[in-house]
C-alpha cells in the first residue's frame, strides 16, 4: 500500500498533462513511452491502491486518477495534443466558429461524405474500409506536416492544418457510425 | 493433513495472520463465493456441495431460506419463493413488464419495486442482501472467520443504479465492499494468471439470456479493459426456443397444452445440451392425448437451424473489436464464460474467426467467482505480484440542454475513473436557477435516453443571458458509480448530488437504446436541427422583447408592427405540426426576417449605449 502524499496529489491535480507525464511539451512524442508512463502513474494513484482510506482522500485520489486518464487520452490523440500545445503557447482556437478553409478542401470533404453515404446505403463494407484507409493516409500526411511546423515553430500555419484535422476527425466518426449501420 | 504442514523454521504456512477476502459472483440463476487459500482460488461450498447456490430466497413465517432449500418451495409456494431477483435490481416500478406472468405480488413504493411476502414487504436490495448473507455464512463456516472484505461481480452492462443497488445489498449483508468488478473482467483475471501474463484477451460471456463481450489488454501488471459490447436479448434460451419451434415443425405438432409446451421446451434444452457431447440425439416423449413424438436430431441440423442466432451472437464481437480499434489477429486469447458457451457451433464459429484454440479449462460457471476472489486478495493487500485494473463505462452519459437535446459528457468505453467538465450558460436575462438533468444512452434526444437524476443549481447571480458560466462535472469512480456536481464559475456557487439508486435502466432498455441509436441516427440529426432552430429563435425573441421594454422610444410604430407580426408567426410555427425539415426551414426563415427587421433598432440601441458609456467621463479616463 502506498502512502498518501496529500500536497503532492493536490499539486499533480493542477499540473498540465505534459508536466504530469514528465514529457517535454513537444508534438512528436513516443506513444510507447507515453503508454508506459500512463500505466506507471495509474499504478501509483489508482483508487484501488487506497481501499482503506478516508472518504475525503478517496475523492481526491479518484480525481487524480481521472486526471491521469484524461491526460493520456489528450496526449495520445494528435488533434487534442496539438490543441493543448497551442494553448500552452497562448493560442486558442475556436473550431466551431472559425471554419474558413480553401474551397478545394471543402469540396474533397463533400466528396468523401458522399462516398460514405453511398457505401452506407449499398452496405458496402469493403468500400467503407477503403475510405477509412484513404482517410488514415491523409491524416498521416497532415500530422507529419503539423509535426514539421511545430519543429519550425510556425504556430500560425499549424492553426490552418488543425482545422483540416478536425474535419478528418469528424469524418472518422461518420465512418464509424456508418459501420454500425451496415 | 496436520502432518503436511511442516515448515522451515520461521516460515510457518501462515507467516502472520492475513486478512481473508472473498469474491462473490451474484448471479441471476446461481451465485458462488470463493476465496484464495494458500495461493489458490477455491470455490467455497456447503458439505459435499459443488458451491453453486441457486439465487433463490424463500420467506415464510419469519424464517428465511436461501439456495437449494428455498428452491424446493417453488412449486408449493411460488408467491413467497423469490427467483432471479437480479433482474429487478435498481429498477423503477414503471420498468416492470406487466405482460410477464409472475407469481409475485409487486408493490409500488415511491416508484421503487417491492415484493409482498409472508415476511412482509421486501425490496430487491433486501432480497439480494439475504443471498449475500447466506454466501457470507458459507464463507465463515469454511474459513473459520469473517471475511475482511469482498469483491462483488456485476454484468459489464450494469448501469449506475444497478451497481449502487448491488453495493447497498452487500453493505446491508455486513460486507465490506472492496470493489464492484465486471464479470468478464473477473474471468480474464482468473485466466490471466494461468497464461503468459501478457497480451490481449477477448472474453465471450454467453449466459441464459444475455451476451457480454469484453476486450482486455494485460500489459506489465495492468489489466486494461479496451471495450465492452453485448446483446441483452441473446442467450441460450433463444437457442432452446428455436430448436423447440423446429421440433414442432418437424413433427407437425399443434394444439399444445401448457404442459406440452413446458415439456417440449425442456426437451429442446436437453437435446441442445446433449448435442455438445453426441453427434446425434434421439428421443421420444408422450404429450397430452397420448400423442407420441419420436425424433432424431443431428448436430448438423441444430447448426443449420440456429445459424442465424450464431451470426447474431458474433456481431458484438465485431463491434467490440472496432470500438477497441483492434484487428482480429491482435487478440491473443479468447476466454469462454457462461454455460451457453458449451454449444459447439458457438465454439466452432469463434475458433474459426480467431483461428486459435479457445480457453475453456476453467469451468465457465465458476470462472467469474474465482477471478473475483483473486482480485479481492489483491485489493486486501495479500499479494506481492499485484496488478492494476483499468475498467471502462459501458454507456454514454450526458446532460439535457435546452430543446431536449443531450450534451454527451462521457462517451461509452471511457476508462474509469473519469471526470468530464462542461460549461453551460443561462438562456434568459436574470435567470437565477438552472435545472440539471443527467441522462444515460446513445441517442441525441432526452426522451430517447434514460433519465438518471435531476437536480437544480440555485442562486445564480442575475446576469444578462449568456453571461453566467455554469460548469457541470461528471465523475464516475472505479466501481462505475456516478456523481455529478455543478458550479457557477464567477461566484463559486456549487450544487452537488449523488445519483440516487431509485432510477435505473433495464438491460433491455440499454440494448434497445443502443440499437435504436443506430436506426434513428438520421432522424436524430433532423430533430436536432429543428431543436436548435427553435432555441435560436426563442433566444432571439427574448432579446428583442427585452430590448423593446428598455428602449421603446427608439422604435417606429411600423417597425414594431412588423416585429410583432414576425414574433407571433414564430410562436405559431413552434407549435405547428408538420414535417420536421419543413418546420426547421420555416423557423430559420422567420428568424432571418426578424433579425433583419430589428437591424435598424439594434443599431440605434448600440449608439445610445456607446453615448451613455461615454457621457460623464473626461478624455483622460478613456
Amino acid at each position: 500500500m502506498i502512502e498518501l502524499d496529500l500536497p503532492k496529489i493536490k499539486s499533480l491535480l493542477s499540473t498540465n498533462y505534459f508536466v504530469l507525464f514528465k514529457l517535454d511539451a513537444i508534438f512528436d512524442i513516443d506513444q510507447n513511452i507515453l503508454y508506459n508512463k500512463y500505466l506507471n502513474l495509474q499504478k501509483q494513484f489508482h483508487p484501488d491502491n487506497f481501499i482503506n482510506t478516508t472518504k475525503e482522500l478517496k475523492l481526491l485520489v479518484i480525481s487524480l486518477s481521472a486526471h491521469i486518464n484524461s491526460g493520456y487520452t489528450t496526449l495520445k490523440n494528435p488533434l487534442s495534443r496539438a490543441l493543448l500545445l497551442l494553448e500552452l503557447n497562448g493560442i486558442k482556437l475556436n473550431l466551431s466558429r472559425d471554419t474558413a478553409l480553401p474551397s478545394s478542401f471543402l469540396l474533397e470533404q463533400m466528396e468523401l461524405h458522399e462516398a460514405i453515404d453511398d457505401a452506407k446505403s449499398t452496405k458496402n463494407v469493403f468500400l467503407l474500409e477503403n475510405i477509412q484507409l484513404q482517410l488514415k493516409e491523409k491524416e498521416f500526411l497532415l500530422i507529419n506536416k503539423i509535426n514539421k511546423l511545430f519543429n519550425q515553430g510556425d504556430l500560425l500555419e499549424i492553426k490552418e492544418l488543425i482545422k483540416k484535422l478536425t474535419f478528418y476527425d469528424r469524418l472518422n466518426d461518420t465512418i464509424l457510425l456508418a459501420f454500425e449501420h451496415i | 493433513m496436520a502432518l503436511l504442514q511442516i515448515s522451515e523454521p520461521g516460515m510457518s504456512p501462515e507467516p502472520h495472520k492475513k486478512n481473508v477476502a472473498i469474491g462473490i459472483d451474484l448471479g441471476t440463476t446461481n451465485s458462488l463465493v470463493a476465496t484464495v487459500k494458500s495461493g489458490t482460488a477455491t470455490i467455497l461450498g456447503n458439505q459435499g456441495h459443488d458451491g453453486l447456490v441457486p439465487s433463490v430466497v424463500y420467506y415464510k413465517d419469519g424464517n428465511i431460506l436461501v439456495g437449494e432449500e428455498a428452491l424446493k418451495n417453488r412449486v408449493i409456494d411460488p408467491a413467497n419463493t423469490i427467483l432471479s431477483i437480479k433482474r429487478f435490481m435498481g429498477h423503477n416500478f414503471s420498468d416492470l413488464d406487466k405482460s410477464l406472468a409472475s407469481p409475485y405480488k409487486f408493490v409500488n413504493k415511491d416508484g421503487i419495486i417491492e415484493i409482498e411476502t409472508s415476511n412482509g414487504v421486501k425490496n430487491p436490495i433486501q432480497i439480494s442482501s439475504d443471498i449475500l448473507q447466506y454466501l457470507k455464512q458459507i464463507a465463515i463456516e469454511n474459513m473459520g472467520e469473517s471475511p475482511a472484505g469482498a469483491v462483488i461481480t456485476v454484468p459489464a452492462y450494469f448501469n449506475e443504479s444497478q451497481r449502487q443497488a448491488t453495493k447497498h445489498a452487500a453493505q446491508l449483508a455486513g460486507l465490506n465492499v472492496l470493489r464492484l468488478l465486471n464479470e468478464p473482467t473477473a474471468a480474464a483475471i482468473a485466466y490471466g494468471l494461468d497464461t503468459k501474463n501478457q497480451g490481449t484477451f477477448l472474453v465471450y460471456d454467453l449466459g441464459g439470456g444475455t451476451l457480454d463481450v469484453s476486450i482486455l489488454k494485460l500489459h506489465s501488471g495492468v489489466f486494461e479493459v479496451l471495450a465492452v459490447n453485448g446483446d441483452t436479448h441473446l442467450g441460450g434460451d433463444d437457442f432452446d426456443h428455436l430448436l423447440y419451434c423446429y421440433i414442432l415443425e418437424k413433427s407437425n405438432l399443434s394444439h399444445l397444452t401448457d404442459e406440452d409446451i413446458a415439456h417440449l421446451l425442456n426437451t429442446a434444452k436437453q437435446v441442445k445440451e446433449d448435442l455438445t457431447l453426441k453427434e446425434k440425439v434421439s428421443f421420444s416423449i408422450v404429450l397430452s392425448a397420448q400423442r407420441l413424438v419420436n425424433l432424431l436430431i443431428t448436430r448438423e441440423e441444430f447448426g443449420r437451424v440456429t445459424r442465424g442466432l450464431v451470426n447474431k451472437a458474433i456481431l458484438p464481437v465485431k463491434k467490440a473489436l472496432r470500438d477497441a480499434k483492434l484487428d482480429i489477429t491482435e487478440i491473443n486469447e479468447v476466454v469462454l464464460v457462461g454455460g451457453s458457451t458449451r454449444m459447439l457451433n458457438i465454439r466452432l464459429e469463434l475458433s474459426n474467426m480467431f483461428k486459435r484454440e479457445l480457453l475453456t479449462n476453467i469451468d465457465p460457471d465458476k470462472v467469474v467467482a474465482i477471478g473475483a476472489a483473486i482480485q479481492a486478495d489483491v485489493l486486501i493487500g495479500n499479494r506481492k505480484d499485484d496488478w492494476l485494473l483499468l475498467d471502462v463505462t459501458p454507456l454514454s452519459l450526458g446532460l439535457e440542454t435546452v430543446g431536449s437535446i443531450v450534451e454527451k459528457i462521457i462517451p461509452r468505453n471511457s476508462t474509469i475513473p473519469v471526470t468530464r467538465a462542461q460549461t453551460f450558460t443561462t438562456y434568459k436575462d436574470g435567470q437565477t436557477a438552472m435545472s440539471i438533468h443527467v441522462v444515460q444512452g446513445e441517442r441525441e434526444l432526452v426522451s430517447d435516453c434514460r433519465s438518471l437524476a435531476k437536480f437544480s443549481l440555485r442562486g445564480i447571480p442575475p446576469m444578462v443571458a449568456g453571461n453566467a458560466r455554469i460548469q457541470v462535472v461528471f465523475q464516475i469512480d472505479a466501481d462505475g458509480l456516478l456523481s455529478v456536481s455543478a458550479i457557477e464559475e464567477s461566484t463559486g456557487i456549487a450544487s452537488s448530488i449523488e445519483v440516487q439508486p431509485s432510477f435505473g435502466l433495464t438491460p433491455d432498455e440499454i440494448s434497445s437504446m443502443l440499437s435504436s441509436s443506430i436506426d434513428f441516427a438520421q432522424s436524430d440529426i433532423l430533430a436536432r436541427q429543428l431543436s436548435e432552430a427553435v432555441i435560436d429563435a426563442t433566444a432571439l425573441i427574448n432579446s428583442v422583447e427585452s430590448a423593446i421594454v428598455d428602449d421603446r422610444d427608439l422604435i417606429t410604430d411600423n417597425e414594431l408592427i412588423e416585429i410583432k407580426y414576425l414574433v407571433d408567426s414564430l410562436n405559431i410555427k413552434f407549435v405547428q405540426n408538420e414535417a420536421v425539415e419543413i418546420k426547421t426551414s420555416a423557423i430559420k426563415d422567420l428568424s432571418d426576417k426578424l433579425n433583419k427587421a430589428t437591424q435598424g433598432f439594434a443599431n440605434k440601441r448600440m449608439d445610445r449605449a456607446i453615448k451613455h458609456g461615454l457621457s460623464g467621463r473626461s478624455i483622460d479616463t478613456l
Side-chain angles (χ1 to χ4, degrees), chain B residues 298-323:
Chain B
T298 67
R299 213 176 251 178
E300 189 272 326
E301 258 178 308
F302 178 71
R304 193 154 32 85
V305 171
T306 60
R307 185 68 240 168
L309 281 181
V310 174
N311 287 341
K312 221 177 138 191
I314 293 303
L315 221 57
V317 174
K318 293 181 179 162
K319 286 183 179 170
L321 282 167
R322 196 170 294 130
D323 275 354

Side-chain angles (χ1 to χ4, degrees), chain B residues 349-369:
Chain B
E349 192 68 28
L350 288 171
S351 57
N352 280 344
M353 186 175 178
F354 289 97
K355 299 189 175 54
R356 65 177 54 255
E357 248 178 74
L358 311 169
L359 290 180
T360 56
N361 43 313
I362 305 181
D363 184 340
D365 285 324
K366 294 179 179 166
V367 62
V368 168

Side-chain angles (χ1 to χ4, degrees), chain A residues 1 35-36 38-39 42-44 46-49 51-52 55 59 61-63 65-67 69-70 72-73 120 125 129 132 176-177 179-181, chain B residues 176 178-179 217 219-222 224 319 322-323 375 379 381 386 388-390 412 415-420 475-478 498 518-519 521-522:
Chain A
M1 201 113 334
Y35 185 60
N36 284 325
Y38 165 63
L39 295 186
Q42 284 295 17
K43 274 185 191 168
Q44 279 181 67
H46 193 277
D48 276 356
N49 292 322
I51 290 283
N52 292 313
K55 195 172 178 195
L59 285 177
V61 169
I62 291 172
S63 294
S65 179
H67 188 57
N69 276 333
S70 157
Y72 177 59
T73 319
K120 200 166 82 179
V125 178
E129 281 171 348
Q132 199 177 29
L176 288 180
L177 203 68
F179 266 123
E180 297 202 5
H181 273 279
Chain B
N176 169 27
L178 300 171
R179 182 77 130 86
K217 188 166 158 188
H219 175 83
S220 50
V222 180
E224 187 188 3
K319 286 183 179 170
R322 196 170 294 130
D323 275 354
Q375 184 65 20
L379 292 178
D386 66 348
L388 178 71
L389 203 60
L390 296 172
R412 70 168 196 262
T415 304
I416 51 176
V418 57
T419 303
R420 215 44 67 83
Q475 186 163 75
I476 299 178
D477 69 13
E498 270 195 23
I518 295 149
D519 298 344
Q522 189 57 33

Side-chain angles (χ1 to χ4, degrees), chain A residues 7-17 19-20 64 67:
Chain A
K8 188 179 176 190
I9 289 177
K10 282 195 172 153
S11 81
L12 285 177
L13 260 173
S14 56
T15 52
N16 84 53
Y17 297 139
V19 177
L20 180 68
L64 179 56
H67 188 57

Side-chain angles (χ1 to χ4, degrees), chain A residues 95-167:
Chain A
L95 290 169
S96 56
R97 247 178 245 165
D98 183 9
T99 51
L101 278 164
S103 57
S104 60
F105 178 81
L106 294 174
L107 210 63
E108 177 204 77
Q109 286 291 306
M110 265 171 61
E111 278 165 5
L112 281 166
H113 268 288
E114 276 166 17
I116 294 168
D117 277 346
D118 279 352
K120 200 166 82 179
S121 56
T122 54
K123 296 198 178 297
N124 191 337
V125 178
F126 179 73
L127 184 58
L128 208 51
E129 281 171 348
N130 214 334
I131 301 169
Q132 199 177 29
L133 222 64
Q134 267 182 52
L135 195 62
K136 257 190 195 148
E137 209 170 299
K138 285 177 194 290
E139 260 180 333
F140 180 77
L141 292 174
L142 200 53
I143 288 165
N144 268 348
K145 259 192 208 165
I146 290 174
N147 189 27
K148 211 181 258 171
L149 289 173
F150 264 118
N151 287 338
Q152 295 166 359
D154 192 348
L155 299 182
L156 287 177
E157 179 62 27
I158 289 173
K159 258 176 84 168
E160 293 306 302
L161 298 186
I162 283 178
K163 280 195 284 188
K164 288 186 181 175
L165 196 57
T166 314
F167 271 88

